[in-house]
Amino acid sequence: MDMLPIFRQQRDILRASTPDQFIDKNLPVLYEGIMHQWASYPKWNIQYLADTFGNYKISADRNINGQISYIQAPMKDYAGYIRDTADPIPYYGKSTMHLKTHMNLEYQTPDAFNCWYKAYYTAQSATRKIDLSSLYFGPRGARSTIHQDIWGTSFWNALYEGRKLWLFFPQEQEHLLYNGEFDPLTADIASYPLLGEAEPIICIQEPGELIYCPANIWHWAYVLEPGLALSENFINEDNYLHVLQYFQRMGYTNAEQKMKDIANTFLNKQ
């Protein structure tokens, strides 16, 4: 891709209709036939959020040369920012408003991505410390850093509006990535020579497409056209050992024990 010349070799993402047809446990997959069954698609978009939840406070952040800054604003004001901003690196919005409103009833998590963590706390009517589900919305140029997702979880990301560019780096390429401390748009080979050996999986996600990303995959997302996406992390039989290893490595004893309790609950049901 012309805007990412540092990566001399690039691979296309695997594609399928639904997880019932195909899911690779070690590589990202783009699914084209899931969202069209949801009441939320194509109903949800930035204007819908502004019109329906205009006074709802959202947060947004951006990272410029390692300096992270944050803002909070009503959704209707941030929607205006998305429309009008000329910031070269704009603020990227995030909210859990869908979990606290009727929006939560308008999509269905595919069975392959069911989350033990969510189901465990729901069954106990207990409050989860972290929801693992967020709406993301922003103008062109909004982007993430290169990162792995929380706790070693997997995630899925459903795009409602706009277009989004993704980079995914399979686990065997981790040693080439400088711990994610580079910008794919501006990095050069002289400063990051190992990137010349990397072969990222590249994908442009269109509205109505859902991307699955397995645990511990380094990735990056860039907004090509202003848009809205729903993203959820999940823990199940495919990745719970990664989560346990993360808690062990970090010395989070209580979280490790809770994860063992959750895993035993569901493994005993199988």
Side-chain angles (χ1 to χ4, degrees):
M1 181 168 291
D2 292 342
M3 65 185 297
L4 298 168
I6 193 169
F7 300 114
R8 300 164 183 163
Q9 303 180 79
Q10 303 172 10
R11 298 159 57 184
D12 292 332
I13 196 167
L14 298 170
R15 291 176 176 266
S17 295
T18 69
D20 294 334
Q21 177 190 27
F22 179 82
I23 185 169
D24 189 296
K25 302 298 176 62
N26 299 305
L27 293 174
V29 183
L30 185 146
Y31 294 103
E32 301 167 327
I34 297 176
M35 295 177 62
H36 299 270
Q37 305 169 24
W38 296 350
S40 57
Y41 183 79
K43 173 182 175 182
W44 294 5
N45 54 47
I46 295 167
Q47 191 61 52
Y48 171 77
L49 297 184
D51 291 343
T52 311
F53 307 102
N55 293 321
Y56 198 102
K57 283 287 185 70
I58 65 93
S59 60
D61 64 78
R62 65 181 178 186
N63 185 322
I64 299 179
N65 298 324
Q67 299 297 312
I68 302 175
S69 56
Y70 302 87
I71 59 171
Q72 285 194 324
M75 183 65 221
K76 59 185 177 182
D77 293 346
Y78 183 72
Y81 171 82
I82 291 175
R83 181 185 65 246
D84 299 332
T85 185
D87 290 346
I89 301 181
Y91 286 93
Y92 201 0
K94 180 179 179 181
S95 177
T96 57
M97 69 175 75
H98 61 297
L99 299 178
K100 304 172 178 66
T101 66
H102 65 271
M103 295 174 71
N104 197 32
L105 303 175
E106 296 183 342
Y107 68 95
Q108 297 78 44
T109 301
D111 290 343
F113 308 144
N114 281 337
C115 180
W116 288 355
Y117 174 83
K118 178 180 179 180
Y120 179 87
Y121 281 94
T122 299
Q124 298 191 22
S125 299
T127 301
R128 289 169 280 162
K129 183 175 292 187
I130 297 177
D131 288 315
L132 298 182
S133 179
S134 292
L135 294 171
Y136 288 89
F137 33 80
R140 174 177 171 81
R143 80 285 304 265
S144 72
T145 58
I146 294 180
H147 65 286
Q148 295 172 310
D149 268 25
I150 184 172
W151 301 344
T153 57
S154 307
F155 75 86
W156 58 265
N157 182 286
L159 188 64
Y160 285 87
E161 179 184 26
R163 298 172 75 234
K164 189 180 291 186
L165 170 64
W166 292 85
L167 293 181
F168 300 96
F169 298 89
Q171 291 184 18
E172 65 270 17
Q173 298 183 33
E174 183 173 7
H175 67 288
L176 305 174
L177 301 181
Y178 299 90
N179 202 36
E181 296 173 357
F182 65 93
D183 183 338
L185 296 175
T186 60
D188 61 85
I189 289 294
S191 301
Y192 302 98
L194 293 179
L195 292 182
E197 302 175 34
E199 189 177 350
I201 295 168
I202 293 185
C203 170
I204 294 180
Q205 184 185 20
E206 305 284 352
E209 296 180 339
L210 182 148
I211 286 177
Y212 154 77
C213 180
N216 292 336
I217 295 286
W218 289 83
H219 58 280
W220 176 78
Y222 180 88
V223 177
L224 293 169
E225 294 178 6
L228 166 68
L230 169 63
S231 188
E232 291 196 352
N233 293 80
F234 62 92
I235 302 169
N236 59 22
E237 64 273 15
D238 294 330
N239 61 21
Y240 78 94
L241 290 176
H242 293 296
V243 178
L244 273 175
Q245 290 164 5
Y246 173 82
F247 290 146
Q248 292 167 354
R249 188 167 64 249
M250 299 300 293
Y252 296 160
T253 305
N254 291 340
E256 178 187 351
Q257 185 57 54
K258 177 60 70 176
M259 186 65 251
K260 288 180 179 178
D261 293 342
I262 292 172
N264 287 335
T265 297
F266 289 92
L267 290 172
N268 290 334
K269 292 181 180 179
Q270 296 179 356

